[in-house]
């Protein structure tokens, strides 16, 4: 029970890495606020946690909106008494060359992937600072925040920004008991990746190519990302702040 007595907010908690992390955090004893735009899926994850004997609730949250970020954090404090862990994981990709990307698409990827974490962290930090135990903030960045990928310039820019946001906040709040890190998944089998593959001319071939391109010869799983996220937000990582941890099966070692 690595997170016994802790409270956590997880964004993008309805599917993929966020869902796996919310389930794992709850298994480890955390009371979890799940935030997402997919209501039915998010409510189902919260109810699975409750049925398994845990504590959780879902709140519809569009992380591109400042007020939604503030509401989800306030809900955690009102309902569970404190805010120990903020996991800003929600994200969208934009697999398009820059000249083909519209104003709206560029705004969306930056609003969800960068402004969301900025708004959430801005609201969380004063709350965590007032707590004697401080708190932990984790952002889901990506391997594309560490090394570039073809055909996704706006997405790469957004994830690079999140890596540096984690490092900058880690320095600013290192003496306040607030740790801030970034998780950098490689190619992970989630609904986001399946949508990406389905959009290619030959989805089955694309899927095989993704696996073949990995040093381990396979994709990562949401559960493997959740295990790394758990470690980063747990007291086991108490001297770890300002890092961008690749969970990529060796991809960024190439
Ligand atoms: N799957 C991969 O290969 C991979 C690799 C690197 C990084 N990532 C990152 O991991 C994170 C999770 O992605 P995933 O792979 O689990 O994909 P996913 O699509 O399964 O999950 C993303 C979740 O975010 C939610 N979401 C999207 N826009 C939102 C918004 N405006 N407000 C609130 N919630 C919103 C979605 O509803 C969904 O539940 C993302 O930040 C993504 O960029 C994924």
């Amino acid at each position: 029970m690595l997170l016994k007595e802790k409270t956590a907010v997880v964004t993008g908690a309805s599917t993929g890495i966020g869902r796996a992390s919310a389930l794992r955090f709850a298994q480890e004893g955390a009371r979890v606020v799940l935030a997402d735009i997919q209501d039915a899926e998010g409510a189902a994850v919260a109810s699975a946690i409750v049925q398994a004997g845990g504590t959780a609730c879902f709140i519809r949250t569009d992380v591109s909106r400042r007020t939604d970020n503030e509401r989800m954090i306030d809900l955690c404090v009102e309902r569970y008494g404190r805010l120990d862990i903020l996991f800003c994981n929600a994200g969208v990709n934009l697999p398009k060359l820059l000249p083909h990307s519209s104003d709206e698409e560029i705004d969306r990827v930056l609003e969800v992937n960068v402004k969301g974490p900025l708004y959430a962290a801005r609201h969380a930090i004063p709350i965590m600072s007032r707590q004697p135990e401080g708190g932990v903030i984790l952002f889901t960045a990506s391997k594309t925040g560490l090394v570039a990928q073809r055909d996704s310039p706006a997405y790469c820019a957004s994830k690079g920004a999140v890596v540096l946001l984690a490092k900058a906040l880690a320095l600013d709040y290192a003496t306040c008991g607030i740790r801030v890190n970034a998780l950098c998944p490689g190619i992970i089998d989630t609904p986001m990746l399946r949508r990406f593959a389905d959009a290619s001319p030959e989805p089955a071939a694309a899927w095989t190519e993704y696996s073949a391109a990995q040093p381990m010869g396979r994709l990562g799983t949401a559960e493997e990302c959740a295990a790394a996220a758990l470690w980063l937000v747990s007291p086991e990582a108490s001297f770890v702040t300002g890092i961008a941890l690749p969970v990529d099966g060796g991809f960024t070692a190439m």
Side-chain angles (χ1 to χ4, degrees):
M1 297 289 265
L2 278 174
L3 304 182
K4 196 165 187 290
E5 315 278 315
K6 302 286 187 196
T7 69
V9 171
V10 180
T11 74
S14 294
T15 63
I17 295 165
R19 176 183 183 277
S21 300
L23 289 167
R24 189 71 204 275
F25 291 3
Q27 276 168 11
E28 297 289 336
R31 289 163 285 165
V32 185
V33 173
L34 298 96
D36 205 292
I37 44 174
Q38 296 193 68
D39 300 32
E41 293 82 352
V45 182
S47 104
I49 290 172
V50 171
Q51 277 176 8
T55 305
C57 63
F58 172 78
I59 179 168
R60 181 183 172 79
T61 304
D62 180 343
V63 298
S64 66
R65 295 188 188 158
R66 175 182 61 76
T67 48
D68 279 21
N69 283 283
E70 294 173 358
R71 272 193 323 130
M72 78 186 177
I73 287 167
D74 291 345
L75 176 68
C76 184
V77 176
E78 281 156 24
R79 192 166 289 198
Y80 303 138
R82 41 190 299 109
L83 174 70
D84 296 308
I85 297 160
L86 171 65
F87 184 18
C88 295
N89 162 78
V92 288
N93 70 357
L94 181 54
K96 283 190 178 178
L97 292 171
L98 200 52
H100 301 164
S101 306
S102 68
D103 288 2
E104 293 73 24
E105 287 170 331
I106 290 172
D107 284 349
R108 190 70 187 156
V109 80
L110 295 179
E111 280 166 7
V112 174
N113 295 5
V114 184
K115 286 182 87 175
L118 280 166
Y119 288 141
R122 185 174 69 179
H123 196 62
I125 285 165
I127 295 169
M128 290 178 170
S129 299
R130 287 194 291 272
Q131 297 174 167
E133 304 84 355
V136 187
I137 300 174
L138 179 63
F139 301 125
T140 300
S142 168
K143 70 170 176 56
T144 60
L146 302 173
V147 293
Q149 169 181 307
R150 285 195 172 86
D151 302 334
S152 300
Y155 181 72
C156 289
S158 74
K159 294 302 187 177
V162 168
V163 167
L164 261 296
L165 176 62
K167 290 176 187 275
L169 291 177
L171 291 184
D172 285 343
Y173 297 99
T175 57
C176 304
I178 301 175
R179 296 188 298 108
V180 190
N181 292 298
L183 183 76
C184 297
I187 303 195
I188 312 298
D189 183 355
T190 67
M192 178 186 279
L193 190 67
R194 288 194 178 264
R195 283 192 300 276
F196 187 62
D198 287 346
S200 72
E202 290 189 53
W207 200 256
T208 312
E209 262 176 43
Y210 300 155
S211 298
Q214 305 307 306
M216 287 188 176
R218 68 168 178 88
L219 305 178
T221 67
E223 288 71 25
E224 287 172 317
C225 292
L230 169 64
W231 177 71
L232 282 170
V233 302
S234 80
E236 297 285 296
S238 54
F239 201 52
V240 179
T241 196
I243 70 160
L245 180 70
V247 182
D248 66 355
F251 193 94
T252 48
M254 290 194 290

